[in-house]
Structure formats: C-alpha cells, structure tokens
Amino acid sequence: MALSKKEWQVEIDRLNSVIDHITINMDLLEKKINNSYDLIKRSNKDMWEQSKSNYSDLDDVVEALTLLDGINSDKARHSNEVKLLNKLGLLKKSAYFGRIDFKEDQYDDVDRIYIGTSTFDDKDGDILIYDWRAAVCGMFYEQEKGKAGFISPEGEIRGELVLKRQYRIFYREIQSMFESSLKIDDEILQSILSESKDSKMGIIVSSIQKEQNKAIRNENDRIVLVDGPAGSGKTSIALHRIAWLLYRYRETIKPNNVIVYSPNEIFNDYISDVLPELGEENMNMSTFISLARSYLGHGYSFKDKYYQMEGILRHISEKKSNAIKEKGSFDFAHKIEEYVEQLGNGLYRFSDLTYEDKSVGSEDEINHLFFKDYSTHSMALRFEKLRTLLLKRLNYLVVQMRRDYMKIPRMDYERRKKAVFLARTTSLQIREMIDRCTRPDFPAVYYDFLQYAGYEDYAEKFKNNLEQNYINYEDIAPIMLIKALIGYKNRIQNIKHVVVDEVQDYSAVELIVITKLYENSSYTLLGDTNQAINYLTGLDTLDEITIPGAFIVKLTKSYRSTKQISEFCNRILGNDNNYEYVDRNGDEPAVIKTNNDIIEQIKNEINIMKQKKCRSIAVITRTALSADMIYEEIKSDDIRRVNVHDDTYMLGAVVLPSYLSKGLEYDGVILVCRDEDNYKGEKDKKLLYTCCSRALHQLTILYENEKPDFIA
C-alpha cells in the first residue's frame, strides 16, 4: 500500500528527530567515556605511587584496597558506557525497521511502537524505539491488523492492531517504507536476499518470519528443535534466540552462560558478528573436538571429524566403516552405560596400596570403602573421598618416617641419608599409586570395556593406536561418555543454554555425551537430515534424538538461494519434501562438461561470477585431496585454500572440500566433479545437495566425463 507525501514527511521528520536525540546522547556519552578513562588513569597512577610502600601499616593496606575497589568500579562503569555507545551507534545507522500502532482495550489512546535492535528513550523517559525482543513487539512478527494481543509480564494484554509498517533506513534516509500484513513483506525480504555476500552472517530482525519467531521466543520448553531445509534460517534463529534469552532473562543468563557447538572454527567466525550487531556480547563458541580436548585433556593426539570424513569419502575398508557406524550408535552407548553401572557395583577393582613394608590401605579395605561406605555417591565423588582419605594417611605415614630418621644420630651420616632417601621414595611411590587408584585412566577403562563387551578386534586396534599416542575420532565420544557417566562434569556447570548446530551430523553417542555434560541446561537444536553428510553416523530422522519433551519447529521455506537454484537442489533429493522458497529469480544452474580441461574452466567460471558482482565464490570439491590438487593447479593469488585448521571466514574466491562448506553460504558456487572424485550412489546424494545449496545467486557444476548422479 503506497503512502502519501504527507505520511512520508511525518516519518522523515520523526526519523530526523530520533537521530538528533541519539546524536546528543552519543556526544554526552563520549565525554563521559573520556572523563572516566582519565579518572581510571589517575587512579592507577595513585595506586602505583602508593604501592611503593611496604604496607606494613594496616591503615595503608585498607586504604589501598579501598582505592583498588574504586578503580574496579570505575572500569566496570567505563565498560558499560562503551557498550551503550556501541548500541547507540548501531541505532544511529539504522534506527528502526518496523512500526505497529496498538490500541489497548478500554483505552482511547493509540500507542505508536517503533521497533529496532535495542530500546532508546528521550530525556523525559518516553520510549522512542522499542527493542525487538520486547513482548509487545511480538505482534509485529505474528499478528495481522485487527484484534490482537500479547503476553506481558503483568499478564495478557488485548486490543486492536491498527497499523503495521516496515522500513529500510540508513542513517537519516528512509530507503523504503510501506504497510505490511501478517508476514514480513517479501519486498523487504527480496531486497535483503538479493544483496551480494560481502560480510559474515548478519542479523535478520527486520525479516523474521512467523514460524521463526515461535522458535526464537519460546520460553515454555527446555528443548527447542528446529528442523528445516538448507537456507531456512536455522542458525539465525538460534542466534536471535540467544539474544532474546539474554534480554528476557537478563538477571540470570549472561553471554558466558551460553555455548554454541558448530561444525568448525570457520563457521564460528562466520556467525561471530550477529550478537554484537544486536548489541550483545558474544557467547561461547566451540566444536565437539574442542570439547573433547578440554574434557579429556591433552595426553593423546585426537583425530578429528574431518580426518574421519576424508577417510569415508576416500572409501575406507568395510571393516573400518562398520566400526565407525557401531561406535556411534545408540546400542553402543547403552552397552557403555551398562558397563559403567557394573563398574560402580563392584566390577572396578582396586589393589593394595603398599610399597616396601609401608601401606595406606589394603585391597579389601579400599573395595569396602568404595562399594559399601561410599556407595550412595557417584563414582567420581567416591574417588575424591577415597583420595582425600588416602592422602591423609600418606601424610601421617610421612610424618612417622620423618620421626624415625630423626632418631638416627647425626653422626651416622650414611644410615641417615639412606633413611631420608627411602622415606622420599616411599612417599613418591605411594602417591603415584594413590593417583592411579583414584584418578581413572579413561582410555584404559574404555579398552577394558571393549574387551568386556566382546569387541576384541576393536580393543586390539585401539591399543595399537594408544601405543602410537593417538585416538581415532570414533573412539573419542565413547571415552567421554565413560567419564561423564562416572560423574566428572564440574568444568561446565555455569552453562545454562546449549545450541547444537547441524545436529543431524552428530552420532548418537556424541549427543548423549552433550546431554550428560549439560544435563541442567536448556537446548536449541538445529538440523536437517537431508544434510546428514556422514552416512555412517548421521541421523536419518531427527526423531532419533531421544530427548523427551522437545518442542519441534518445522520450517518448510528456504530463503537462501534463487528460485532456480532451490528447485535444482530439490530435484537432487528427488523426494516429496514440499519445500517452499522465496520467489527470487536468477540464472539457471549450469552443468558443464569440461572435456578434460577442468582447471581452465574453473578459472573462466570464477571470472564470469566476478563480472556478475559475486563477492564470495567457493570452488567446492568432494575431498580435501581434490581441493589440494585443484589449488596447486590453479596457482593464482586471487584464490585461497580453506583448510580444516583455519578459523576465519574468507571472502573472495576460495577452494574447500565439501564437508568444510557446512553452514556457510557464498554468492557463487563452482562444484568440481572430477571422475576419480565424483558424487556417485545413494551415499553421496545428501552431500551433493549440501554443496549445491551453499549458493546464493550462481551455481555451476563442472564434470569431466561422467555427470554426477542425481543431476538431470
């Protein structure tokens, strides 16, 4: 619906007034920040001057501590002022994106609510911009004009939604403005989606759809599972949900109470700007292999998921494939759970803690303590209680040995020296025995489990790997599960909300480990089984995630790619998924036979995409081996190789293997299918779909002699 010139002028005048208010506040805040910075410098100088004394007088110490408290308070205030200035800077760039006029029942006044990334009010306390996360703003995303309402902290508020309006604003310029109905209008959405990819993932507050909003604002369910196709905004939903949780529960949830588990460090960098753009500090970001290293320690080298994935794509043996599949299964997890239960009931055995003629505990006594006296506790707590007792006994024993050698005459030097050496040796040996007794070697426990459960071949292979000081990826989660079931979880108690992205690529054992380690947390899980690229351990259906009470949000619309690319990707799957997509037109995907000159064709396609204003171009190969070969053959400074250990999202043209493209998106994608490394058979279908669905605007598939399967 077109707006009149008068309405335009009213909106322009209001925007200028709001920007003036923001500018005044920013100027005042900058002065405050400069003053507080000078104050901190002076306080530090005073502290330094006073620190030259020895603080022998109690009054001096008290005065110094008071000064230190003051400095810390000034630093905290300065930090808050800087954060507020950043928020105002974001508002000044784009003050708001939506407006609703709401008339509450039994009142004549109509509230005009302008919606932006954070709240801003004038000097009189009148709210000029409402934070998009405020309860009243939910109507903008979910309700049409007419009878409407929302749930406030005071209860349900009912009334009439008189007007819904959308804006695109850049500083003092209103670039577009129009009335909108139930859904966030496609005019805004089309404009956003058609832009080239010149940065990392951005915010979507101006284009959140109704079904996305339900997931973002859910506060009734401990677990929210978002299931949707490539490009449906799953990751954006999770990040905006984090921002909403930080707003809704600001007194109890802070950014350091939230962690996101993502496919790789590149993806972590790709999403790292979203929360800061919403005026929030970033949450913790990690990967499962990073969790494993911190949880299990660094005693061994761990083979990561991508080492495993590369092996799978390069056709490892059937025996190895079966091992990977079995070790990631629910059945394997249940066997581990049964084994750990048996350990706690008496299967775990101890031996005498005796060296020479000195002892701190017999086998029978230690077993009785562990399995009888301490039986009501977790195994981890039992180990700690036992350790405390044994170390006390060792200390007493050391005291006794000291008394014994002190009785030896000083003149009997050799005898006294021998007694001291024996005491030290005995103490060290018994302490090592206590460590072995009360600090389980979890890889060793896992090896015992494999033998106990009848996996003799797996046990022998695992033992050989340990002797070479490494652990294969498929063995990492089972070892972590053993440690978690024994009760070691203390390091991560402060986490209150966990996001798991690409959940379909986690094995059953990995998911159980995460739920054990964060058993008191709430969850947002994001997945699409059509993108389960590891066919050995990936989930065929998200219903396999056996977490009771999950609230499932089914997304059916993709917003990433053009209509032509979306239809092409859906044909690869070849099933009746009924996915929808935004009706944004572009070029048809090109499927090109290269006549054995694939490198020149890649260079040509990169140049074509650059001419079409593509700022991010991905040359995607099936394996890392192919990526290395192509990168070496191209030999150009204009293209970079993305590796497993990279932690930065790169713009421009890049070469990367299929599994590193998970979660990322590019203006243009060139999928390279060499004959020796092509997509063949049902096992590669989801991988092919995943790679093609990375493309926003341009998609080209290059092959040598044989076209990839599933491409018409």
Side-chain angles (χ1 to χ4, degrees):
M1 178 180 174
L3 277 71
S4 67
K5 288 184 178 180
K6 182 179 178 181
E7 287 175 303
W8 267 89
Q9 193 57 51
V10 168
E11 291 283 12
I12 290 169
D13 291 343
R14 185 190 190 277
L15 175 62
N16 283 322
S17 175
V18 169
I19 296 297
D20 288 342
H21 277 86
I22 292 173
T23 303
I24 291 168
N25 275 263
M26 289 182 73
D27 290 342
L28 291 172
L29 202 52
E30 283 176 347
K31 290 177 182 177
K32 276 187 177 181
I33 288 170
N34 290 332
N35 290 337
S36 64
Y37 180 70
D38 291 339
L39 178 62
I40 291 168
K41 283 176 65 178
R42 287 197 302 271
S43 299
N44 278 325
K45 183 180 178 182
D46 293 343
M47 185 74 180
W48 172 253
E49 292 294 329
Q50 290 194 25
S51 70
K52 293 177 181 179
S53 65
N54 292 323
Y55 294 126
S56 57
D57 190 286
L58 181 60
D59 290 339
D60 290 341
V61 175
V62 171
E63 185 178 348
L65 290 174
T66 303
L67 187 58
L68 184 60
D69 287 341
I71 292 172
N72 289 334
S73 178
D74 290 340
K75 284 182 177 179
R77 184 168 59 253
H78 178 79
S79 177
N80 289 332
E81 288 168 349
V82 171
K83 290 175 188 175
L84 181 55
L85 184 63
N86 289 336
K87 283 187 177 183
L88 291 177
L90 293 170
L91 286 179
K92 188 174 182 178
K93 185 177 180 181
S94 180
Y96 40 82
F97 55 83
R99 168 186 164 186
I100 54 175
D101 290 2
F102 182 66
K103 180 182 175 297
E104 192 176 336
D105 287 346
Q106 301 172 347
Y107 292 92
D108 294 330
D109 293 339
V110 175
D111 294 322
R112 291 182 179 178
I113 298 162
Y114 286 82
I115 305 169
T117 54
S118 58
T119 300
F120 177 71
D121 48 26
D122 61 18
K123 61 183 179 180
D124 298 322
D126 295 326
I127 300 177
L128 302 179
I129 304 171
Y130 283 75
D131 193 303
W132 67 277
R133 296 167 290 186
V136 67
C137 298
M139 291 189 292
F140 176 73
Y141 299 107
E142 293 197 17
Q143 301 190 31
E144 296 182 79
K145 288 193 292 184
K147 292 295 181 183
F150 64 97
I151 305 296
S152 76
E154 291 77 31
E156 186 176 14
I157 306 294
R158 301 298 303 174
E160 181 181 0
L161 198 59
V162 179
L163 178 143
K164 278 182 70 174
R165 187 170 288 174
Q166 287 180 259
Y167 311 83
R168 289 204 82 186
I169 290 173
F170 188 69
Y171 290 100
R172 292 181 183 269
E173 178 190 1
I174 301 178
Q175 296 178 329
S176 63
M177 175 175 63
F178 46 87
E179 308 297 330
S180 65
S181 58
L182 172 61
K183 62 177 182 160
I184 307 303
D185 200 283
D186 272 354
E187 185 174 333
I188 289 278
L189 201 53
Q190 292 278 15
S191 178
I192 294 170
L193 296 175
S194 61
E195 294 172 353
S196 292
K197 194 75 190 167
D198 59 357
S199 64
K200 303 172 188 176
M201 180 180 285
I203 62 175
I204 61 166
V205 285
S206 63
S207 59
I208 292 170
Q209 305 294 292
K210 182 178 180 180
E211 67 277 10
Q212 295 173 329
N213 194 56
K214 286 180 179 178
I216 290 170
R217 293 175 186 263
N218 183 296
E219 60 181 315
N220 298 319
D221 300 284
R222 177 172 165 252
I223 301 155
V224 174
L225 172 60
V226 183
D227 181 1
S232 57
K234 297 184 293 296
T235 304
S236 290
I237 288 171
L239 296 172
H240 287 68
R241 175 161 172 73
I242 291 169
W244 182 83
L245 289 169
L246 294 174
Y247 175 87
R248 176 70 178 84
Y249 302 102
R250 61 178 74 85
E251 299 301 323
T252 55
I253 299 181
K254 307 297 179 186
N256 65 342
N257 299 136
V258 180
I259 190 165
V260 174
Y261 283 103
S262 65
N264 51 58
E265 297 296 344
I266 301 168
F267 186 80
N268 286 339
D269 182 61
Y270 178 61
I271 66 174
S272 62
D273 285 351
V274 175
L275 255 66
E277 283 184 30
L278 292 169
E280 298 287 356
E281 292 180 43
N282 250 328
M283 65 276 145
N284 300 294
M285 289 182 279
S286 189
T287 59
F288 190 82
I289 193 69
S290 296
L291 172 65
R293 290 190 179 111
S294 64
Y295 186 58
L296 295 179
H298 300 274
Y300 295 96
S301 172
F302 294 152
K303 300 295 185 184
D304 63 26
K305 177 183 286 189
Y306 299 112
Y307 179 88
Q308 182 192 85
M309 193 69 201
E310 185 74 10
I312 292 171
L313 294 178
R314 284 156 69 174
H315 308 296
I316 54 176
S317 67
E318 184 178 355
K319 186 176 181 181
K320 175 73 170 175
S321 295
N322 291 337
I324 292 172
K325 190 169 186 177
E326 183 160 32
K327 290 177 181 179
S329 67
F330 281 110
D331 182 58
F332 199 74
H334 294 327
K335 288 180 179 178
I336 291 174
E337 289 172 344
E338 291 170 0
Y339 177 71
V340 172
E341 186 177 355
Q342 292 298 317
L343 288 180
N345 291 334
L347 188 61
Y348 196 94
R349 302 308 299 171
F350 299 91
S351 56
D352 292 333
L353 297 183
T354 302
Y355 181 76
E356 298 293 344
D357 60 340
K358 307 297 183 184
S359 175
V360 293
S362 68
E363 176 183 344
D364 290 342
E365 182 196 10
I366 294 171
N367 280 322
H368 189 276
L369 285 168
F370 194 84
F371 297 113
K372 298 295 183 182
D373 294 356
Y374 303 157
S375 61
T376 57
H377 304 294
S378 70
M379 286 183 70
L381 184 54
R382 285 189 248 174
F383 280 123
E384 288 307 309
K385 288 175 72 68
L386 185 60
R387 180 178 181 78
T388 301
L389 174 65
L390 295 174
L391 288 175
K392 281 182 180 179
R393 290 183 179 181
L394 176 60
N395 288 337
Y396 178 76
L397 184 62
V398 168
V399 170
Q400 290 298 112
M401 287 190 291
R402 280 178 181 167
R403 286 176 179 169
D404 289 343
Y405 70 67
M406 289 298 289
K407 293 176 183 178
I408 301 173
R410 287 181 177 272
M411 301 299 293
D412 197 346
Y413 178 74
E414 287 300 323
R415 186 176 158 209
R416 190 172 182 133
K417 181 180 176 182
K418 185 176 180 181
V420 170
F421 176 78
L422 182 61
R424 286 178 178 171
T425 304
T426 301
S427 174
L428 288 173
Q429 291 294 331
I430 292 179
R431 178 175 284 274
E432 287 181 10
M433 294 167 73
I434 292 172
D435 285 343
R436 288 195 298 272
C437 170
T438 60
R439 297 278 171 86
D441 179 345
F442 297 104
V445 176
Y446 175 60
Y447 171 74
D448 292 340
F449 157 73
L450 291 175
Q451 290 189 311
Y452 177 85
Y455 297 113
E456 295 293 342
D457 290 346
Y458 295 169
E460 189 61 29
K461 178 64 176 173
F462 179 72
K463 182 181 178 182
N464 292 338
N465 293 342
L466 283 185
E467 289 172 353
Q468 297 177 55
N469 205 46
Y470 75 88
I471 297 175
N472 275 331
Y473 186 76
E474 61 269 19
D475 293 311
I476 294 172
I479 296 171
M480 294 173 72
L481 181 57
I482 286 172
K483 184 173 181 179
L485 290 170
I486 285 175
Y488 290 96
K489 306 171 190 178
N490 295 336
R491 293 185 182 181
I492 41 188
Q493 284 180 340
N494 68 318
I495 298 298
K496 297 180 180 178
H497 189 77
V498 180
V499 175
V500 183
D501 205 350
E502 306 290 353
V503 71
Q504 76 282 345
D505 282 329
Y506 284 73
S507 72
V509 179
E510 289 169 338
L511 289 174
I512 292 171
V513 165
I514 289 174
T515 57
K516 294 291 183 187
L517 293 181
Y518 302 102
E519 59 189 0
N520 297 319
S521 303
S522 58
Y523 289 84
T524 301
L525 308 176
L526 316 167
D528 173 20
T529 51
N530 286 320
Q531 295 183 73
I533 63 173
N534 187 336
Y535 62 87
L536 294 178
T537 60
L539 302 175
D540 293 326
T541 168
L542 294 187
D543 295 337
E544 291 181 54
I545 302 175
T546 55
I547 303 175
F551 175 78
I552 300 175
V553 178
K554 288 275 189 182
L555 305 177
T556 58
K557 193 168 187 177
S558 176
Y559 302 94
R560 176 182 294 149
S561 308
T562 61
K563 173 184 176 181
Q564 287 75 13
I565 293 173
S566 296
E567 289 178 339
F568 182 89
C569 292
N570 284 350
R571 287 197 296 271
I572 290 173
L573 295 177
N575 54 23
D576 299 325
N577 50 48
N578 296 318
Y579 287 160
E580 304 171 67
Y581 38 81
V582 175
D583 193 15
R584 178 169 64 87
N585 282 301
D587 295 337
E588 287 286 347
V591 182
I592 301 171
K593 185 174 182 179
T594 62
N595 297 317
N596 298 319
D597 195 10
I598 203 163
I599 300 301
E600 286 305 312
Q601 190 66 51
I602 291 170
K603 293 178 181 177
N604 183 53
E605 291 300 320
I606 289 174
N607 289 331
I608 290 172
M609 288 183 179
K610 285 181 177 178
Q611 290 169 12
K612 292 182 178 180
K613 309 300 182 186
C614 291
R615 294 174 182 162
S616 59
I617 302 168
V619 179
I620 300 178
T621 62
R622 187 168 171 276
T623 62
L625 181 63
S626 290
D628 289 336
M629 292 169 62
I630 286 170
Y631 180 69
E632 289 300 320
E633 289 180 64
I634 290 177
K635 292 182 179 176
S636 170
D637 293 335
D638 294 332
I639 192 165
R640 288 172 290 179
R641 169 76 165 90
V642 176
N643 292 294
V644 168
H645 301 296
D646 288 337
D647 57 7
T648 304
Y649 174 74
M650 302 178 188
L651 290 170
V654 297
V655 180
L656 72 166
S658 55
Y659 45 82
L660 284 185
S661 70
K662 289 299 295 283
L664 305 177
E665 53 188 27
Y666 299 89
D667 290 334
V669 167
I670 302 167
L671 189 65
V672 180
C673 309
R674 280 184 149 163
D675 288 345
E676 69 272 13
D677 197 22
N678 210 335
Y679 297 82
K680 294 294 181 183
E682 200 67 28
K683 293 177 180 178
D684 280 346
K685 179 193 286 188
K686 293 180 179 180
L687 184 64
L688 179 63
Y689 166 77
T690 301
C691 295
C692 292
S693 61
R694 302 305 95 201
L696 289 162
H697 313 298
Q698 302 288 325
L699 173 61
T700 297
I701 296 174
L702 302 178
Y703 69 97
E704 290 180 321
N705 296 302
E706 289 189 62
K707 192 185 294 184
D709 289 350
F710 316 110
I711 291 180

